Amino acid sequence: METLDQIFVLSKKGILDFLGTFLPEWVVTLACVAITIKAIAVLGPVTMMYLTLMERKVIGRMQNRIGPNRVGKWGLLQPLADGVKMLTKEDIVPHGADAVSHFLAPILIVIPSLLAFAVIPFGRGMTPVDLNVGVLFFIAVSSTTTIAIFMASWGSRNKFSVLGGMRSAAQMISYEVPMVLSVVPVILIAGSLSTNDIVLAQAGWGGLKWFVFTPWGFFAFIIFFLCGVAECNRSPFDLPEGESEIVAGFHTEYSGMKFALFYMAEFMNSFTVSGLAATLFLGGWQGPFLPSWLWFFLKTYALIFVMIWFRGTLPRIRVDQLMGLAWKFLMPLTLVNILAAGLWYFTEGAARWLITASILAGSFWLLTKLNRGYTPEKRVYLFAE
Amino acid sequence: MLPLTLLVKAGLYLIMAISLLAAVASVSLPNIFHAALALALALLGIAGIYLGLQAEFVAVVQVLIYVGAVITLVIFAIMLTNRMADRSTPAKNSLGAACLAVAAGLFSILVRFIRSTPWPETTSAPAPGTSEIGQALMGPYVFAFEVISVILIAVLIGAMVIAKKDNPGEDAP
Amino acid sequence: MIFGTGILQGLMVTLKNFVTSYFKAPDEGGIFTVEYPEKRLPEKERFRNFPFLLYDKNPENLRCVACDICAKECPPKCIYIVREFDKDGKPLKRPAVFDIDFTVCMNCGICEEACPFDAIYMDHEFEIASADRHAKLLYHRDDLLKSNEYFHKIRPTDASAIDARRREAEEKKKAAEAAALAAQKAKEAAAAQAKPPEPPKPAAGA
């Protein structure tokens, strides 16, 4: 059990020990870094490939279809076939496009998504880089995606691209605020910005003392996850690439592997956001019986399933609803949530459950009331009688 | 370990060179959008230098605020200006020489002050931990912190007042 | 009412679909897809596709008489017929060449309706895809020939009706022939009887 839990750590240590027998120390240090980077660089794209398959299968099942099942058993080789297709497609650059921006954007958009993997604790002792500002690093890195999206949209010299880019930037800036604020209670209670420490702070109760099982944690989790879905530009927040309105948004003018890179970034983002949500609120790799890394991947994939489930269920929301949800509902709720977490920190026993839960429930109810849309009882016509 | 130290040093100097080049590019490129992107690269390079100095918090905040927010705002502003799709706007005009002179003067003053300041050298760099920064903000500097908050709130309210239409029914047919 | 209850209801619907798609039968909410190359839906009798030529008993005995009516009626003109001649240059009642270009054929079935000899019918065969449209999709006479038994297999109702009609027509024809023969015979007999210059009286009297 212990070996199984630490299998990746042990195998890395084994490789390094083997290299240490005949190589100088500094090469071994470099190799240590290289192995971690390699693991992330392989994990990211492979995750993306199989997320596309998972998405198509799950959406298919939700719509009473079967989904891809022709290439390999259960369509398991479908991502490879797609990859070959993408690589052999013609690369089209529109006439009058800004060559530098158009070329660099798909490359730049993948970098933040890959960097975000660096602070995710995949298991016990399996955080690639245990930064003491891990959560902040994640947020900072994912906020730079906007620039790549701007480059793609502006470089394409296409109206729809620019519209999509502007929408995307507006959306990401808006949703970054409640996302960051929803993480604050976790940092407050765990007393650290390091992802590894946050996971360790959720130890106890047989590996089930997750933050999501507290009132503030529950609300923060929901808010964080919704904002994460919006940050990934996934349905129902997929206005930047709304097919029925602006073709494909900022990646309208991309084809072949460049287009695939945008998709890769999107899917890796959804993986890392789910992974961070699992880390912050669902106890990360904490859990009974199973190996730690398995727990992490189970939780992450469960959250990704929820994202796909959203996509299979919800229609795209309007721009004013999008902004209204972020600024008028999630933002005040996160501020109340920070207050609740502070009260939780300073009170004890059953009282803190009662206080925080009642405050949050009350403010949720109040915000619902305040945010209720205006529906006129009688339709008023401007010109007709 | 010597080769590693050399490697890190070489990397740091590379980052410095890149950010200097990007900074020069950001004021000399004819295309204003490219200039903004070059500015983003320069700011990222500065974040890289912070990382090299083991100031992780400052580096991350640099990326979050400057690259994530300020550059986005700059690009927004560029996109909202007229004729942004024009190919080449000349980046120099008759005032170029004067500007250069002023910049050189400012630079020489800065260099003089930097050189005359005694910089204490410590072997173990005191990494500014997040908790120390937090305690400093809530302790000795709490007044400045609160004043900044008040100013930010005032800015927010002011922005809302400016953005709000005077007469909402004006545009309606 | 609070935020999100409607969304939760919608989410439950899709989740139910997701779960039932694994366990339920097609008519109870499961997946109703029939995975085509492995499984297929039963063919409907009235399904029609590309035409084929019918023969009775053996391929030499095909019904087509090379009358060229179907080729003339064919809207996209995908049928090409050349009549067969014997050694003396006398035209025969059968085609030497009967080509149908399936890349042109639009499966309208007008040839079937136009044929007065019940020789051409629409088939159920639809998996004719090929990589070479010039060589593989231009069907010649021998590719198009199919037996009456095959026709009975794919379209039993039509086939029996047509067979019955043909048999009736045959019988009528035979009867007519017999009648004609009888009439001929009677005529001949009459002529034979009339031949003797002076027939006996009873015959003349009859």
Side-chain angles (χ1 to χ4, degrees):
Chain A
M1 189 63 208
E2 194 60 31
T3 339
L4 200 62
D5 187 40
Q6 293 294 303
I7 185 159
F8 296 110
V9 180
L10 288 177
S11 51
K12 182 182 169 185
K13 196 164 168 292
I15 294 173
L16 290 181
D17 283 348
F18 171 69
L19 289 177
T21 52
F22 57 89
L23 284 176
E25 202 188 339
W26 63 275
V27 180
V28 178
T29 315
L30 270 187
C32 174
V33 176
I35 288 172
T36 311
I37 292 175
K38 209 82 199 166
I40 293 176
V42 171
L43 178 72
V46 169
T47 307
M48 172 262 174
M49 282 162 63
Y50 280 94
L51 280 186
T52 57
L53 181 67
M54 177 179 163
E55 169 138 27
R56 290 167 70 183
K57 291 290 254 190
V58 172
I59 289 261
R61 289 280 170 177
M62 283 178 178
Q63 298 166 348
N64 275 338
R65 294 183 287 114
I66 291 179
N69 64 346
R70 289 289 116 186
V71 194
K73 183 82 178 154
W74 304 314
L76 279 179
L77 296 178
Q78 181 74 41
L80 293 178
D82 285 343
V84 170
K85 183 194 78 176
M86 284 297 184
L87 281 170
T88 49
K89 269 191 170 180
E90 187 189 355
D91 171 38
I92 299 167
V93 180
H95 179 71
D98 186 341
V100 180
S101 301
H102 190 266
F103 176 73
L104 279 181
I107 302 167
L108 281 183
I109 204 167
V110 176
I111 294 173
S113 329
L114 268 179
L115 277 178
F117 274 85
V119 290
I120 304 278
F122 291 98
R124 197 188 303 276
M126 279 168 61
T127 316
V129 185
D130 191 9
L131 278 179
N132 57 15
V133 286
V135 180
L136 212 56
F137 175 84
F138 181 90
I139 292 161
V141 156
S142 56
S143 74
T144 56
T145 315
T146 332
I147 291 182
I149 288 176
F150 263 136
M151 285 171 76
S153 59
W154 193 82
S156 299
R157 205 178 176 81
N158 179 322
K159 291 183 192 67
F160 296 122
S161 295
V162 176
L163 277 177
M166 297 294 262
R167 280 186 183 191
S168 165
Q171 179 176 325
M172 287 176 98
I173 291 171
S174 305
Y175 276 84
E176 204 133 276
V177 178
M179 188 178 184
V180 175
L181 288 179
S182 67
V183 177
V184 171
V186 175
I187 298 165
L188 202 79
I189 301 295
S192 171
L193 279 165
S194 155
T195 45
N196 203 28
D197 291 352
I198 288 171
V199 173
L200 289 175
Q202 302 177 62
W205 299 358
L208 281 174
K209 196 188 165 197
W210 305 346
F211 282 152
V212 74
F213 297 135
T214 56
W216 55 268
F218 180 72
F219 277 85
F221 171 65
I222 304 259
I223 294 166
F224 181 86
F225 189 65
L226 284 182
C227 295
V229 175
E231 285 270 296
C232 301
N233 294 338
R234 283 189 61 91
S235 188
F237 304 102
D238 59 343
L239 285 105
E241 35 197 272
E243 299 88 350
S244 49
E245 301 159 19
I246 46 173
V247 191
F250 54 88
H251 54 69
T252 303
E253 292 290 357
Y254 284 91
S255 60
M257 205 57 207
K258 287 181 182 170
F259 175 77
L261 284 177
F262 280 107
Y263 258 74
M264 183 186 278
E266 185 181 321
F267 277 102
M268 290 199 304
N269 275 340
S270 43
F271 182 84
T272 45
V273 161
S274 304
L276 196 72
T279 302
L280 294 179
F281 302 102
L282 302 184
W285 40 261
Q286 306 267 13
F289 312 125
L290 294 173
S292 58
W293 44 272
L294 196 59
W295 265 114
F296 173 80
F297 279 103
L298 274 180
K299 289 168 186 172
T300 307
Y301 275 96
L303 288 181
I304 291 172
F305 175 82
V306 175
M307 281 191 182
I308 297 170
W309 185 14
F310 279 172
R311 186 178 155 199
T313 310
L314 303 173
R316 187 179 308 130
I317 60 179
R318 269 192 338 247
V319 178
D320 60 327
Q321 291 168 337
L322 179 93
M323 291 297 159
L325 180 68
W327 291 107
K328 294 198 282 192
F329 188 77
L330 297 182
M331 250 272 279
L333 199 59
T334 47
L335 293 175
V336 174
N337 200 22
I338 293 173
L339 176 73
L343 288 175
W344 175 275
Y345 188 78
F346 285 114
T347 47
E348 280 299 325
R352 64 181 188 181
W353 280 86
L354 206 65
I355 293 170
T356 48
S358 52
I359 285 178
L360 284 169
S363 52
F364 187 83
W365 179 81
L366 191 69
L367 282 172
T368 310
K369 284 278 168 233
L370 289 176
N371 271 299
R372 195 165 44 191
Y374 167 68
T375 37
E377 285 180 12
K378 186 167 169 289
R379 183 177 283 272
V380 182
Y381 295 100
L382 284 178
F383 300 111
E385 284 302 318
Chain B
M1 282 295 122
L2 185 67
L4 269 191
T5 325
L6 280 178
L7 262 180
V8 168
K9 263 192 181 161
L12 264 183
Y13 279 111
L14 190 70
I15 288 173
M16 287 177 197
I18 289 174
S19 30
L20 268 182
L21 280 179
V24 170
S26 72
V27 290
S28 60
L29 277 179
N31 188 322
I32 192 168
F33 184 74
H34 287 172
L37 293 181
L39 183 61
L41 183 59
L43 294 172
L44 271 178
I46 291 169
I49 295 169
Y50 285 143
L51 266 187
L53 298 175
Q54 294 183 336
E56 286 150 358
F57 181 74
V58 187
V60 166
V61 168
Q62 166 89 7
V63 173
L64 181 62
I65 291 175
Y66 282 98
V67 184
V70 172
I71 292 293
T72 311
L73 214 62
V74 167
I75 295 177
F76 247 120
I78 292 171
M79 293 243 183
L80 293 177
T81 50
N82 290 334
R83 289 184 292 164
M84 66 150 201
D86 282 3
R87 284 284 115 178
S88 53
T89 325
K92 42 179 171 298
N93 53 22
S94 55
L95 290 175
C99 286
L100 198 66
V102 170
L106 190 65
F107 184 68
S108 65
I109 293 169
L110 279 178
V111 165
R112 264 192 64 193
F113 277 114
I114 288 169
R115 289 185 66 86
S116 61
T117 312
W119 296 96
E121 282 189 26
T122 49
T123 43
S124 62
T130 40
S131 54
E132 282 86 1
I133 291 174
Q135 271 157 10
L137 282 180
M138 283 293 134
Y141 303 108
V142 68
F143 182 69
F145 185 73
E146 292 297 330
V147 166
I148 290 172
S149 324
V150 170
I151 290 173
L152 279 179
I153 294 238
V155 167
L156 268 179
I157 294 171
M160 265 182 231
V161 168
I162 292 170
K164 191 170 170 289
K165 262 189 211 136
D166 290 333
N167 186 359
E170 209 170 56
D171 288 347
Chain C
M1 275 300 283
I2 54 169
F3 255 30
T5 44
I7 288 176
L8 285 181
Q9 280 173 15
L11 286 172
M12 285 329 286
V13 170
T14 38
L15 188 68
K16 208 182 104 231
N17 261 347
F18 179 75
V19 174
T20 52
S21 74
Y22 284 99
F23 304 112
K24 291 273 178 77
D27 47 351
E28 290 165 350
I31 288 181
F32 31 76
T33 312
V34 178
E35 290 179 73
Y36 155 63
E38 291 91 33
K39 300 171 207 161
R40 37 181 82 211
L41 291 168
E43 275 172 9
K44 298 280 189 294
E45 199 188 327
R46 305 304 293 266
F47 170 57
R48 65 179 160 80
N49 209 287
F50 295 105
F52 69 98
L53 287 177
L54 205 60
Y55 66 82
D56 292 316
K57 295 190 183 72
N58 62 351
E60 290 306 304
N61 193 11
L62 79 170
R63 289 183 186 170
C64 179
V65 297
C67 65
D68 223 22
I69 290 178
C70 54
K72 287 198 182 85
E73 290 290 343
C74 179
K77 298 279 176 259
C78 66
I79 306 179
Y80 175 71
I81 304 173
V82 175
R83 183 181 288 276
E84 193 172 326
F85 293 88
D86 66 358
K87 277 177 244 126
D88 308 332
K90 196 179 143 220
L92 293 176
K93 274 189 165 185
R94 48 183 287 157
V97 178
F98 196 110
D99 287 354
I100 299 182
D101 191 345
F102 281 171
T103 58
V104 177
C105 177
M106 62 181 200
N107 314 351
C108 61
I110 287 177
C111 47
E112 171 181 328
E113 286 165 21
C115 184
F117 299 97
D118 305 321
I120 188 163
Y121 283 104
M122 305 308 275
D123 202 349
H124 282 187
E125 180 68 35
F126 58 93
E127 289 156 315
I128 62 164
S130 132
D132 185 355
R133 68 193 170 103
H134 298 295
K136 299 277 172 60
L137 287 181
L138 180 63
Y139 274 50
H140 302 293
R141 196 190 72 177
D142 294 340
D143 311 323
L144 290 167
L145 281 176
K146 277 176 183 168
S147 68
N148 199 14
E149 286 77 52
Y150 173 79
F151 188 43
H152 268 279
K153 209 175 76 197
I154 59 168
R155 287 163 65 175
T157 321
D158 289 352
S160 359
I162 289 160
D163 271 12
R165 181 157 53 74
R166 281 176 69 84
R167 215 174 296 124
E168 208 174 294
E170 195 91 342
E171 270 160 17
K172 227 179 241 171
K173 201 173 154 195
K174 253 183 203 157
E177 264 173 18
L181 209 67
Q184 184 88 15
K185 269 192 182 149
K187 225 187 204 172
E188 270 171 18
Q193 271 175 355
K195 231 170 205 167
E198 254 74 50
K201 272 182 181 130

